[in-house]
Amino acid sequence: MVELMNFNGFLKFTDVKWEWLRRIIRPLLIRIPWLRRKVQLFLWRMRARPFYRQRIQGISKLLDDCNARRRKNGGPKNIILIVVDCLRKSNLSLYGHYRETTPFLESLAGRAAVFDNTLTACPWTYPSVASILTGLYPHNHGGVLTTDPCRFGQEAPNKVSRNVLALPEVLTGLGFDCHIFSSVTVAAWAGMDWFKNIYIYRQRAQQQFKELNRCLEKNKKKDNFIYFHLGDLHVPLDVPDDYRESFGEIADIPRLNYWQFEKDADREAPDFKRYKENRCKLYDCALRSVDAQIAGLFGYLEKLRLLDSSLVILTADHGEEFWEHTETERKLFYDPRGFSGISHGHNLFQEIINVPLLCTGPGIASGRYTHNTSLVDIVPTILDVCGIDHRLKLDGRNLFDNSNERALVSEAVAYGYEKKAVVRKNWKLIHSEGDGVSLLFDLYRDPKEKHDLAKINPEKIQELKSHLPKAEVKGETLEIDRAMKKQLQDLGYM
Ligand SMILES: [Zn+2]
């Protein structure tokens, strides 16, 4: 799993005058992975640095504006926020999956807080990461695609509005060292401007965790916030040999690590059944390997004597669809690619927006929590656990607060007409103005969302619609260069 082209952004500066340099450097970069990596990291840091410097210079004023103060020392020394891209909740054995995909997380559950009903604020990476790091819904942070219908890959999303103060900025201002690790570049675009230390490179969990361990050891004496985004479950799936047959033999089928049957899945066709079975098995093998790497991190924290002082949060930016709603999507929703039933970003069914969430460390009461929570709750929870008082206007609230049942929102698709989901108690609305569709589900009785109750319960539709956002914040323009476009292609977006 290697990205060869990310240095193109650098090479384009050399153009004609420096053609001789390009001729020397390019083959070197292709042949020498460590040099390629250094150049790529250098380029990412160059790209993020001007904005970061500008913001950090004014951070005291921004913190004064929202009255952010660290009330006490003695909160966690390290906050490690692990986000596994495309991790659907129902495939974790922690949540009852029939394959033992997450034995380590199961063993951790006894001393962790495990949330059973968490929604992502958005069904695709870029706005979702922005929501995780700001505690705001996409309509309030502005880091979204702006056309309707949307086609990510053909157009770039906006940057998060400059009026928004992100968690890493607050923590930097209050004395934390902030680091972002990401093997998914789209995730990094959302957050890299907010971090002093940037490690962005397409690689497997195993290598990425090695870097994290090095970082933890090097910064052992500091307070650290680490955003750690894993791409192992995102296409192209690249499962280490040791785990490739964790659940039996995987058939040799073309495009098993990407997708087939994106447009024309026929549930009864033997070819489709065989592909689906092997594709899902490969995904589970990748998850099994990620679980093992997370176990390694906890071992390392223990070795460094940092386990008791580290807050670790594990979640996903969104889930993944494996043909659960192919027919409904084909029939009711427009997709500019013509896809239905696969991947993420295009719709708001539970397999895409219901994500795992597990927290462990100082200030966390272990147990199983069934009330509805959202990824926008992560920021207020971290601020509370760290003893930080503030007057930030956030959409989320402390994860452990279940005092009343809020309406939660998920929105801002990457493909097709805008869709918004509202979930309150057991009821869920999926509404698309452009498609002219409103679907209503009772998640207690129908967790797989097979029976639309819109026609027999119009009052509930109206009630849930009253929670739809009334206004949208507009973010700033994000410029995408040639190197970024190539990364989109590698991730299967173009
Ligand atoms: Zn993602």
Side-chain angles (χ1 to χ4, degrees):
M1 188 189 286
V2 172
E3 274 183 22
L4 296 177
M5 303 301 289
N6 289 331
F7 43 82
N8 270 359
F10 170 70
L11 291 179
K12 79 176 179 184
F13 293 116
T14 64
D15 279 345
V16 181
K17 192 173 167 192
W18 300 100
E19 179 63 21
W20 61 273
L21 190 59
R22 193 178 74 89
R23 282 193 188 160
I24 295 168
I25 288 178
R26 192 182 162 88
L28 277 177
L29 292 177
I30 289 170
R31 276 184 212 125
I32 310 174
W34 67 263
L35 183 61
R36 184 167 65 235
R37 194 186 139 67
K38 292 249 177 213
V39 170
Q40 188 180 327
L41 284 177
F42 169 75
L43 290 172
W44 278 114
R45 285 166 188 163
M46 289 283 286
R47 209 176 267 160
R49 197 55 65 215
F51 184 85
Y52 174 79
R53 278 215 197 98
Q54 194 190 2
R55 292 281 288 195
I56 285 306
Q57 276 165 9
I59 199 73
S60 312
K61 185 177 175 315
L62 291 171
L63 290 178
D64 279 347
D65 289 348
C66 66
N67 216 0
R69 297 278 178 278
R70 202 167 173 186
R71 192 174 348 115
K72 56 169 189 190
N73 283 318
K77 262 191 83 55
N78 294 300
I79 305 158
I80 305 172
L81 174 51
I82 302 172
V83 176
V84 186
D85 209 300
C86 300
L87 175 55
R88 52 184 265 160
K89 189 193 119 189
S90 60
N91 278 54
L92 280 78
S93 49
L94 172 69
Y95 290 103
H97 189 46
Y98 70 100
R99 290 191 183 115
E100 198 186 23
T101 46
T102 52
F104 175 71
L105 295 181
E106 283 175 71
S107 74
L108 193 63
R111 55 192 160 108
V114 180
F115 294 87
D116 284 340
N117 291 304
T118 304
L119 295 188
T120 176
C122 177
W124 68 287
T125 313
Y126 179 92
S128 178
V129 172
S131 284
I132 291 170
L133 289 172
T134 61
L136 296 173
Y137 287 126
H139 69 267
N140 279 332
H141 64 58
V144 296
L145 293 162
T146 53
T147 55
D148 199 22
C150 302
R151 179 155 190 166
F152 180 52
Q154 302 275 310
E155 56 167 326
N158 275 357
K159 284 175 82 161
V160 169
S161 160
R162 60 166 66 92
N163 298 324
V164 170
L165 194 55
L167 176 70
E169 296 181 305
V170 175
L171 294 176
T172 302
L174 297 175
F176 282 78
D177 257 29
C178 294
H179 313 257
I180 181 168
F181 293 76
S182 180
S183 61
V184 177
T185 43
V186 182
W189 297 353
M192 65 181 180
D193 291 343
W194 299 322
F195 289 84
K196 181 178 168 196
N197 306 294
I198 296 173
Y199 310 83
I200 301 167
Y201 198 72
R202 183 76 178 154
Q203 59 192 342
R204 285 177 178 163
Q206 195 178 10
Q207 285 84 27
Q208 208 174 321
F209 272 106
K210 265 189 203 160
E211 283 177 4
L212 173 59
N213 292 348
R214 269 200 295 272
C215 171
L216 284 166
E217 185 158 15
K218 193 173 148 201
N219 297 293
K220 208 176 152 183
K221 297 205 168 122
K222 297 178 182 167
D223 290 350
N224 299 294
F225 170 64
I226 295 161
Y227 178 82
F228 193 77
H229 195 108
L230 290 162
D232 297 58
L233 303 187
H234 196 294
V235 296
L237 294 177
D238 179 25
V239 186
D241 291 344
D242 297 355
Y243 291 92
R244 196 173 165 84
E245 301 206 339
S246 297
F247 305 111
E249 200 180 325
I250 302 268
D252 188 13
I253 304 175
R255 289 185 68 80
L256 205 54
N257 58 345
Y258 280 92
W259 293 103
Q260 269 198 52
F261 303 98
E262 303 98 327
K263 298 179 182 178
D264 48 2
D266 170 6
R267 283 180 177 276
E268 300 312 315
D271 277 4
F272 169 67
K273 284 184 184 169
R274 184 163 170 263
Y275 182 83
K276 183 184 170 191
E277 186 196 324
N278 282 278
R279 179 66 170 73
C280 295
K281 200 194 284 182
L282 188 64
Y283 177 92
D284 284 348
C285 293
L287 176 52
R288 180 72 184 76
S289 80
V290 168
D291 180 77
Q293 296 306 321
I294 296 169
L297 168 68
F298 276 77
Y300 203 75
L301 285 171
E302 194 152 27
K303 188 177 153 201
L304 294 178
R305 294 171 193 250
L306 290 174
L307 192 55
D308 293 339
S309 58
S310 296
L311 168 65
V312 181
I313 300 174
L314 177 98
T315 190
D317 54 346
H318 51 77
E320 192 82 321
E321 185 177 354
F322 293 131
W323 298 279
E324 281 84 358
H325 286 93
T326 307
E327 287 80 15
T328 313
E329 288 172 6
R330 205 183 281 161
K331 205 166 107 191
L332 298 179
F333 297 103
Y334 167 70
D335 184 303
R337 307 160 301 172
F339 289 6
S340 55
I342 56 139
S343 191
H344 58 272
H346 58 290
N347 220 313
L348 300 167
F349 292 109
Q350 288 297 86
E351 56 271 19
I352 304 170
I353 67 167
N354 185 203
V355 289
L357 179 61
L358 181 146
C359 315
T360 179
I364 297 296
S366 63
R368 202 93 188 195
Y369 297 87
T370 56
H371 60 282
N372 290 340
T373 50
S374 165
L375 295 188
V376 293
D377 297 335
I378 289 176
V379 168
T381 307
I382 290 176
L383 292 171
D384 284 354
V385 171
C386 293
I388 294 169
D389 291 328
H390 62 89
R391 276 199 226 129
L392 286 163
K393 273 182 79 178
L394 302 173
D395 289 324
R397 69 180 187 192
N398 193 309
L399 282 164
F400 296 90
D401 179 357
N402 63 354
S403 51
N404 59 7
E405 283 280 358
R406 300 166 290 169
L408 300 177
V409 174
S410 188
E411 59 181 351
V413 297
Y415 307 102
Y417 290 108
E418 173 57 353
K419 299 167 193 72
K420 292 187 189 291
V422 178
V423 174
R424 186 157 188 269
K425 296 183 182 169
N426 53 318
W427 291 101
K428 176 175 176 183
L429 166 75
I430 298 177
H431 177 71
S432 168
E433 202 72 39
D435 292 298
V437 174
S438 291
L439 302 175
L440 179 71
F441 300 105
D442 178 343
L443 294 177
Y444 287 175
R445 292 187 182 83
D446 178 26
K448 293 192 172 167
E449 300 164 293
K450 296 291 179 196
H451 307 288
D452 172 28
L453 303 174
K455 283 205 177 88
I456 59 170
N457 201 343
E459 299 81 24
K460 187 56 75 181
I461 294 254
Q462 288 314 313
E463 184 205 315
L464 293 175
K465 273 188 181 172
S466 71
H467 297 286
L468 288 170
K470 309 281 182 291
E472 312 255 337
V473 166
K474 196 173 179 314
E476 330 290 333
T477 306
L478 171 75
E479 282 174 25
I480 299 230
D481 61 21
R482 213 170 69 191
M484 287 165 130
K485 274 189 187 154
K486 182 65 181 75
Q487 289 153 18
L488 284 181
Q489 285 168 357
D490 291 344
L491 290 165
Y493 286 117
M494 292 177 79

